[in-house]
Amino acid sequence: MTDTIIIRTEDLTKAYGTKTAVDHLCLGIRRGEIFGLLGPNGAGKTTTILMLLGLTEPTLGKAFIDGYDCTRESMQVKRITGYMPDNVGFYGDLTGRENLRFTARLNGIPEGEIDPLIDGLLEKVGMTQAADRKTETYSKGMRQRLGIADVLIKDPEVIIMDEPTAGLDPEGMREFLELIKQLSVKDGKTILVSSHQLYQIQQVCDRVGIFVDGNLIACGGINELGSQIAAEGHYTLEVETEPCDSRFLGYLEELDGINNITKKGNTFVISSSRDLRRDITKFLGTNEYKLLNMHQKGGDLDEIYRVYFEEAEKEGDDQDAKSGSRKRLFGR
Amino acid sequence: MLKAAAGSASLAVNEGKRGNIGSHSLSALYRKEMADHVTSKRFIIIMILVIATTIASVYGAVTGISSAIKNAAMDPKASFDAHFMFLKLFTTGGSSIPSYMSLIALIGPFIGLILGFDSINSEKNNGTLNRLVSQPIYRDSIIIGKFLASSTLIAVMILSTGIAVGCAGFLATGILPSGEEAVRVLIYLVYTILYICFWLAMAMLFSVFTRHAATSALASIALWLFFAIFMSLLAGIMANAVYPVNTEYQQAVNAFENYNLNLNLNRLSPYYLYSEASSVLMDPATRAINAVSYAQLVGALSGYLQLGQSLLLVWPHLVGLLALTFAAFTISYIGFMRQEIRTS
């Protein structure tokens, strides 16, 4: 059950004039997972989401949610898909409860069931206190939580959120991510989150896709992407020693595969194309250095992001390499 | 196997529960729009405006009629037409207060504009439209619901004030409407509702195609000014250009054609259509609205037109107003259906 694909796109393409916002996107999202769609602004994340909901027509290709064609059967798709746009808006002169009631009516929920349903959802997102205030008085975080309640009214199987964490304070963010996690783990919802903020995504996502200029340049679990980076030869090692002298530096410079060495206090930050730990510990041991700290970086999302983005930029400069090494490594 | 069967059963229940979703959503949207309007400040402002207009015009009509009667009693040479007195409540002004008919012709378009000018673009800017279109509703029910809700309000407003004028006039003067008068007033009110709905459709059209509410408000006011003022100037200029009447000879040859062209150009404007129709309906003495030659008048007796005959005169106006309204609404409908809605 958990391994079935619920959202599938086939060569999904959207062009605005000459600009291609989404370029032959092939993506599969499994039932019950949290998938993070990462990318800088203008990478085509929102366009992809609009196409999934049938709100804009793809120039080419198809998308399916739970077997329904997103363009032709958008009614069915919208029945099982909850969408929270970025900057989710509510009718300011209605209360939170009234806003939810309106959504419930639009979804054809019988009048008698609406109020208990809304009470339950407000409780779930922790908005019972503020439910009878007008939404124009809400803070960003409150609107975001009401947005989740709004999405959950139709009891969707798939939840799509566009930049849900933008503009939240750290506490609001933590609560929000907690809520998302719960929805996935407890209620078994499939969640697609788009964002340009890395750390939050790293905390909650099962898999991420990195999106640059309409292309999905990498896709997989966080660890998977980490090892992909390692395999490609991006290592960053921090070594703190006592003493931290020029003899050690001289040794490091002699080693193979060194890209760059910087010194911060008693710490060397070494970026290299291979794993140096074995060599360094041997050197330190035989020369009676005291090793205070050694930390291999890589595998966290920031690193992943940086690498892929640099690559994307490099390719922008160098069009010849367009379908070179990247496709070989990350082709899906 | 069992699990799958249970799943499909619950799905079927779900489908049944949510069946017929189109009509559900349209009525939900309609009710919400209605509630929104009725509780909004701007609706209260329009309501005050309309009520003040009604009271003022009733006062003006009553004083105007009574002074006319007094004059007729004092001065045997002054004639006073005592037929269709009830209609005079709507068409007579007095002591520099315009009549109900002319006041409504003036503020009516604004009622439509105010109800419609930000219907789509404000929702777009607030990010609510975004949420709305991702619900399982047909997108057209959004724009249809908005139009229906606003036009219902217009109908209620116009019918209630029209009836209020009749009642107040009856209380003040004791004039009872004859059956024909009542029907005439009712038909006149229907024309008024349709005319205001045209402006509603126009304002919604601008609200679909412009990003800011202020832009669409200004654009629709500009259009109103054009139809109300500049259209007649333009029609005159064009008629004179096509059929010049500068010399006596030209006048003799072209006068008739010139007048007809001028009239027909004016009739492209909903403003003119409405004012012509309402004057025919409310004044049974209007026997023709086109140019009439002397030959046609030979042997004619002066008298009042029957209701059916008046309706024959204004039938094309009804069709014209309906067509304009539908055209405006259809364009905004198509535009709205094809738009890509995303947060800006």
Side-chain angles (χ1 to χ4, degrees):
Chain A
M1 192 70 181
T2 47
D3 262 19
T4 51
I5 300 288
I6 187 161
I7 303 178
R8 187 159 51 91
T9 70
E10 294 168 358
D11 282 331
L12 198 64
T13 303
K14 178 75 183 181
Y16 294 103
T18 54
K19 189 186 180 302
T20 308
V22 178
D23 195 1
H24 293 88
L25 175 67
C26 296
L27 187 68
I29 296 176
R30 299 184 198 117
R31 201 178 284 274
E33 76 175 344
I34 305 183
F35 188 90
L37 203 54
L38 283 177
N41 294 327
K45 290 170 294 180
T46 304
T47 310
T48 307
I49 289 173
L50 290 184
M51 283 191 282
L52 285 177
L53 288 160
L55 298 183
T56 186
E57 269 183 48
T59 315
L60 203 81
K62 282 187 169 172
F64 298 92
I65 295 183
D66 205 15
Y68 294 116
D69 185 321
C70 292
T71 312
R72 288 160 186 271
E73 298 165 295
S74 68
M75 277 299 265
Q76 273 83 359
V77 167
K78 286 194 263 185
R79 256 177 233 194
I80 56 164
T81 310
Y83 169 50
M84 192 165 101
D86 62 338
N87 260 324
V88 57
F90 292 98
Y91 296 104
D93 45 0
L94 300 184
T95 65
R97 195 185 294 275
E98 286 167 338
N99 266 297
L100 294 185
R101 199 173 287 146
F102 177 52
T103 305
R105 287 199 183 118
L106 288 181
N107 280 287
I109 294 169
E111 286 293 320
E113 298 172 22
I114 290 179
D115 282 330
L117 175 69
I118 290 178
D119 286 338
L121 289 175
L122 286 169
E123 186 70 44
K124 188 171 199 163
V125 298
M127 285 289 290
T128 312
Q129 299 282 311
D132 293 309
R133 268 167 50 195
K134 291 192 171 181
T135 51
E136 62 193 359
T137 65
Y138 281 14
S139 69
K140 173 92 188 179
M142 291 162 87
R143 262 188 287 147
Q144 215 67 273
R145 278 188 281 169
L146 190 66
I148 293 191
D150 184 71
V151 160
L152 290 176
I153 282 180
K154 63 174 110 172
D155 193 23
E157 290 176 41
V158 179
I159 300 174
I160 299 179
M161 299 189 207
D162 198 358
E163 299 279 1
T165 53
L168 287 184
D169 58 25
E171 178 62 13
M173 185 92 78
R174 201 187 54 72
E175 287 173 5
F176 185 81
L177 292 173
E178 190 60 34
L179 211 60
I180 293 184
K181 195 86 196 170
Q182 259 186 30
L183 288 176
S184 165
V185 175
K186 266 200 202 159
D187 305 338
K189 312 276 187 211
T190 310
I191 301 177
L192 172 64
V193 187
S194 97
S195 181
H196 60 261
Q197 288 169 304
L198 317 171
Y199 288 105
Q200 297 82 41
I201 295 296
Q202 188 172 15
Q203 286 167 39
V204 295
C205 284
D206 300 317
R207 289 197 307 147
V208 297
I210 295 181
F211 219 63
V212 177
D213 275 341
N215 289 298
L216 188 71
I217 60 173
C219 180
I222 307 275
N223 299 334
E224 218 175 297
L225 291 185
S227 53
Q228 278 177 354
I229 295 182
E232 212 185 346
H234 291 280
Y235 290 89
T236 305
L237 187 65
E238 290 177 350
V239 189
E240 188 179 1
T241 54
E242 170 79 51
C244 185
D245 56 10
S246 50
R247 183 166 154 235
F248 183 38
L249 181 63
Y251 167 76
L252 288 174
E253 280 171 341
E254 293 294 300
L255 284 170
D256 285 339
I258 297 285
N259 293 332
N260 190 23
I261 301 173
T262 51
K263 191 178 173 190
K264 285 185 202 160
N266 280 343
T267 307
F268 283 113
V269 182
I270 309 150
S271 91
S272 62
S273 56
R274 65 186 183 93
D275 194 346
L276 300 170
R277 280 177 290 188
R278 183 188 297 269
D279 295 326
I280 289 176
T281 41
K282 199 184 273 176
F283 172 80
L284 293 175
T286 52
N287 292 289
E288 297 194 341
Y289 279 85
K290 201 202 282 176
L291 178 59
L292 297 175
N293 183 18
M294 180 147 87
H295 173 58
Q296 176 94 303
K297 285 215 295 192
D300 75 337
L301 208 58
D302 215 12
E303 186 71 12
I304 297 169
Y305 212 45
R306 187 180 62 76
V307 168
Y308 286 124
F309 277 44
E310 277 175 4
E311 237 173 66
E313 270 169 30
K314 229 183 284 168
E315 291 204 358
D317 297 340
D318 184 11
Q319 285 292 330
D320 300 339
K322 186 79 186 169
S323 53
S325 63
R326 194 199 67 215
K327 280 244 169 99
R328 177 173 46 80
L329 274 166
F330 305 119
R332 281 179 49 94
Chain B
M1 251 329 243
L2 210 67
K3 214 174 175 184
S8 68
S10 80
L11 196 71
V13 169
N14 227 359
E15 288 295 309
K17 196 173 73 182
R18 294 177 180 186
N20 201 6
I21 219 152
S23 68
H24 260 299
S25 57
L26 183 58
S27 85
L29 282 159
Y30 178 80
R31 277 194 289 169
K32 189 206 147 274
E33 280 302 315
M34 203 75 133
D36 263 8
H37 277 316
V38 172
T39 54
S40 71
K41 284 193 190 82
R42 86 168 72 139
F43 183 78
I44 296 168
I45 294 171
I46 313 177
M47 212 56 219
I48 291 172
L49 194 70
V50 169
I51 290 170
T53 307
T54 311
I55 293 172
S57 64
V58 169
Y59 174 77
V62 170
T63 53
I65 291 172
S66 64
S67 72
I69 292 173
K70 245 179 246 161
N71 282 349
M74 306 272 274
D75 180 4
K77 265 184 276 176
S79 69
F80 179 74
D81 183 2
H83 294 93
F84 296 103
M85 279 302 289
F86 185 72
L87 294 184
K88 290 206 169 66
L89 285 173
F90 291 86
T91 56
T92 318
S95 51
S96 76
I97 301 172
S99 64
Y100 175 81
M101 208 167 94
S102 45
L103 274 176
I104 284 294
L106 184 72
I107 65 166
F110 286 98
I111 299 175
L113 296 187
I114 288 170
L115 289 177
F117 78 94
D118 66 346
S119 53
I120 302 291
N121 51 16
S122 74
E123 288 224 23
K124 233 184 258 177
N125 293 337
N126 294 337
T128 47
L129 192 58
N130 220 310
R131 214 160 42 84
L132 215 51
V133 292
S134 68
Q135 304 300 335
I137 56 173
Y138 294 107
R139 195 193 275 200
D140 53 358
S141 57
I142 297 173
I143 192 164
I144 293 176
K146 278 176 184 293
F147 187 79
L148 285 183
S150 300
S151 43
T152 309
L153 281 179
I154 290 169
V156 169
M157 216 185 282
I158 294 303
L159 286 176
S160 57
T161 57
I163 292 169
V165 169
C167 293
F170 167 63
L171 289 176
T173 62
I175 303 167
L176 263 181
S178 67
E180 187 186 330
E181 282 174 320
V183 174
R184 272 179 189 273
V185 168
L186 212 62
I187 295 172
Y188 157 71
L189 293 178
V190 169
Y191 268 78
T192 309
I193 292 165
L194 184 59
Y195 178 57
I196 298 176
C197 283
F198 165 76
W199 287 105
L200 172 71
M202 219 55 226
M204 282 179 73
L205 174 68
F206 285 119
S207 85
V208 168
F209 289 104
T210 61
R211 186 181 289 267
H212 300 291
T215 319
S216 63
L218 286 177
S220 21
I221 289 175
L223 193 74
W224 176 79
L225 275 178
F226 174 77
F227 279 140
I229 298 172
F230 297 112
M231 187 74 180
S232 62
L233 300 179
L234 205 65
I237 293 169
M238 281 169 74
N240 285 341
V242 179
Y243 297 110
V245 284
N246 299 325
T247 64
E248 220 165 293
Y249 170 71
Q250 281 177 335
Q251 263 179 20
V253 177
N254 286 340
F256 187 70
E257 303 287 350
N258 181 298
Y259 180 80
N260 272 343
L261 181 62
N262 193 339
L263 193 63
N264 287 331
L265 284 176
N266 265 318
R267 281 181 184 155
L268 292 176
S269 144
Y271 171 82
Y272 193 84
L273 280 182
Y274 169 71
S275 49
E276 209 171 48
S278 54
S279 64
V280 168
L281 282 168
M282 296 303 276
D283 182 8
T286 311
R287 295 171 60 90
I289 48 175
N290 290 325
V292 179
S293 67
Y294 284 116
Q296 286 171 305
L297 280 175
V298 168
L301 297 173
S302 84
Y304 296 107
L305 275 193
Q306 283 180 328
L307 176 62
Q309 300 300 310
S310 289
L311 284 184
L312 271 183
L313 279 184
V314 295
W315 183 248
H317 298 68
L318 181 72
V319 176
L321 278 175
L322 265 176
L324 285 170
T325 310
F326 273 116
F329 184 71
T330 308
I331 295 170
S332 44
Y333 178 95
I334 293 170
F336 181 66
M337 294 300 280
R338 301 176 69 111
Q339 256 171 13
E340 183 182 295
I341 291 157
R342 61 199 304 170
T343 30
S344 39

